[in-house]
Amino acid sequence: MTADRIYRRAQFRLSAPTPADLGPDEGIEVAFAGRSNVGKSSVLNALTGQRKLARTSGTPGRTQTINCFDLDETRRLIDLPGYGYAKVPQAVKRRWEQALPEYLRNRQALYGVVVIMDVRHAPTELDLQMLRWCDDAGLVLHGVLTKADKLKRGAARNRLQAVQRATAEAGVTLPSVQLFSALKGEGIDELTEVLDAWFAVGNSSA
């Protein structure tokens, strides 16, 4: 199955209130994480070519469950709740502060995490914390800087380099990072190439 085809076949399977509700811990999962309102849903929709696969909302913090999308019988995309929105109830914040590190550490099917950030802003402490959790869990990481169309090309490249410096100075390992624009469809091929390697798409077992 080709890379383009496998992502376009993504189908919603379930919304899990906690990681324990995701179902059997088998196969390969790739999680998407990011602050509320950075365009995480738009990245997933652009990747899969499905405008309504992941819900987009003008209300940050709306997604408070883990959404699971099947690619095939053994591969899944995981949409983690957006973090960092002040109006999310404190009880919900506390629950996810406990649940997310546990999921990242203990979920055997989880191979890697795509951490999504807004290209116009420096990584926040919450972004760095997410990266540290993933790093400590031994997960592979890829950074996606959204809304690149909001900046001129040179400015966007400068911001990418600034993010690389900021994460390095914070002692966080971020092996790769890219620019992305869901509006213009830029960066989809680069993201697909990363995911192909993680999911072993194109191997004889694919």
Side-chain angles (χ1 to χ4, degrees):
M1 182 181 296
T2 65
D4 180 70
R5 187 178 173 191
I6 192 172
Y7 302 117
R8 290 181 178 275
R9 289 184 61 180
Q11 293 184 336
F12 174 79
R13 180 158 66 89
L14 59 83
S15 289
T18 71
D21 300 305
L22 276 172
D25 190 358
E26 57 192 24
I28 304 175
E29 293 175 358
V30 169
F32 285 67
R35 293 193 70 198
S36 297
N37 215 28
V38 295
K40 181 160 53 69
S41 295
S42 295
V43 172
L44 283 164
N45 291 343
L47 171 69
T48 60
Q50 301 183 45
R51 293 176 58 188
K52 297 182 179 180
L53 182 73
R55 289 186 178 181
T56 58
S57 174
T59 305
R62 179 178 179 182
T63 302
Q64 297 177 9
T65 58
I66 300 175
N67 292 319
C68 177
F69 305 97
D70 287 340
L71 299 178
D72 59 20
E73 294 81 1
T74 61
R75 300 177 176 99
R76 296 176 294 278
L77 300 176
I78 303 295
D79 183 9
L80 296 174
Y83 51 82
Y85 187 60
K87 292 185 179 180
V88 172
Q90 286 298 319
V92 174
K93 285 185 180 180
R94 288 193 296 270
R95 184 181 76 199
W96 285 113
E97 285 171 358
Q98 295 174 348
L100 283 179
E102 180 181 347
Y103 168 71
L104 296 171
R105 285 194 308 267
N106 299 330
R107 184 76 173 176
Q108 297 301 305
L110 180 62
Y111 182 84
V113 179
V114 177
V115 178
I116 300 170
M117 296 169 278
D118 188 324
V119 71
R120 299 169 297 178
H121 307 294
T124 67
E125 183 53 41
L126 290 171
D127 294 322
L128 296 174
Q129 182 62 71
M130 176 59 72
L131 291 168
R132 291 188 189 101
W133 282 341
C134 295
D135 203 17
D136 291 345
L139 300 167
V140 295
L141 283 164
H142 180 64
V144 170
L145 305 183
T146 58
K147 307 182 183 181
D149 53 278
K150 302 292 185 182
L151 301 177
K152 292 183 178 180
R153 186 170 298 275
R157 298 298 302 181
N158 289 339
R159 287 297 311 145
L160 185 148
Q161 294 171 3
V163 168
Q164 291 173 314
R165 289 194 300 270
T167 54
E169 290 170 0
V172 176
T173 302
L174 185 59
S176 57
V177 60
Q178 68 165 99
L179 298 171
F180 194 96
S181 169
L183 181 65
K184 294 188 175 181
E186 295 178 359
I188 297 174
D189 289 344
E190 189 173 349
L191 176 57
T192 298
E193 185 175 345
V194 171
L195 296 179
D196 287 352
W198 292 6
F199 280 122
V201 171
N203 288 358
S204 58
S205 59

